Amino acid sequence: MILGIGTDLANIDRIQAVLDRHGDRFRNRVFTETEQRKAERRRDTAGTYAKRWAAKEACSKALGTGLRMGIAWKDMSVTNLRTGQPVMHVTGWAKQRLESMTPPGHEAIIHVTLTDDHPWAQAMVVIEARPLAAT
């Protein structure tokens, strides 16, 4: 069953302007070290950050809270599998919120997809509750 859906659209040029103006202060407040390492290795650094920004916004919407009620930017982070598929990780209050919305006997699966076409970066998050296998 679907527990939540969220989407967000971010302007890559706006993210670049924030990076230019606030630099490490912005990066360290919003992105995990792993996310920063990934973005700084990419040619399109701002696009990589913008996709992750959009993913965090989309995840917070799928959790049904937006960025309020104690969810911090770094409570949500995006990594990639070796295939390139993005994976959303939640910690802190975001993880608590996810656990509270997951019905008993189910596990929560967070699906995330990212795309960009300059100047836009987009993310969509779907949170699924999957029944646990009977043992």
Side-chain angles (χ1 to χ4, degrees):
M1 89 182 66
I2 303 299
L3 297 179
I5 299 172
T7 187
D8 193 68
L9 187 65
N11 185 288
I12 296 168
D13 294 333
R14 180 175 162 258
I15 296 296
Q16 182 64 64
V18 174
L19 287 166
D20 292 344
R21 188 173 337 121
H22 299 288
D24 286 342
R25 193 172 95 208
F26 170 67
R27 276 188 284 272
N28 294 332
R29 186 177 132 252
V30 176
F31 301 101
T32 65
E33 289 182 24
T34 301
E35 289 172 313
Q36 290 180 48
R37 280 194 306 271
K38 169 87 173 178
E40 296 301 324
R41 284 194 317 258
R42 304 293 299 266
R43 185 171 29 147
D44 183 13
T45 302
T48 302
Y49 280 125
K51 285 186 280 190
R52 277 146 182 76
W53 170 281
K56 291 167 188 260
E57 287 274 8
C59 184
S60 71
K61 292 171 185 175
L63 289 168
T65 63
L67 284 161
R68 57 184 173 88
M69 296 175 57
I71 292 181
W73 286 103
K74 288 184 172 182
D75 285 348
M76 301 164 287
S77 67
V78 179
T79 62
N80 295 84
L81 299 178
R82 291 168 64 89
T83 61
Q85 177 184 344
V87 178
M88 178 65 70
H89 306 275
V90 292
T91 59
W93 202 92
K95 183 176 181 179
Q96 291 174 11
R97 171 69 180 155
L98 180 64
E99 290 169 352
S100 74
M101 58 191 285
T102 305
H106 289 74
E107 65 176 332
I109 310 294
I110 302 175
H111 304 277
V112 60
T113 186
L114 307 173
T115 191
D116 66 295
D117 187 8
H118 196 90
W120 301 107
Q122 182 180 21
M124 182 171 187
V125 170
V126 175
I127 302 175
E128 171 191 11
R130 188 177 295 165
L132 294 171
T135 54

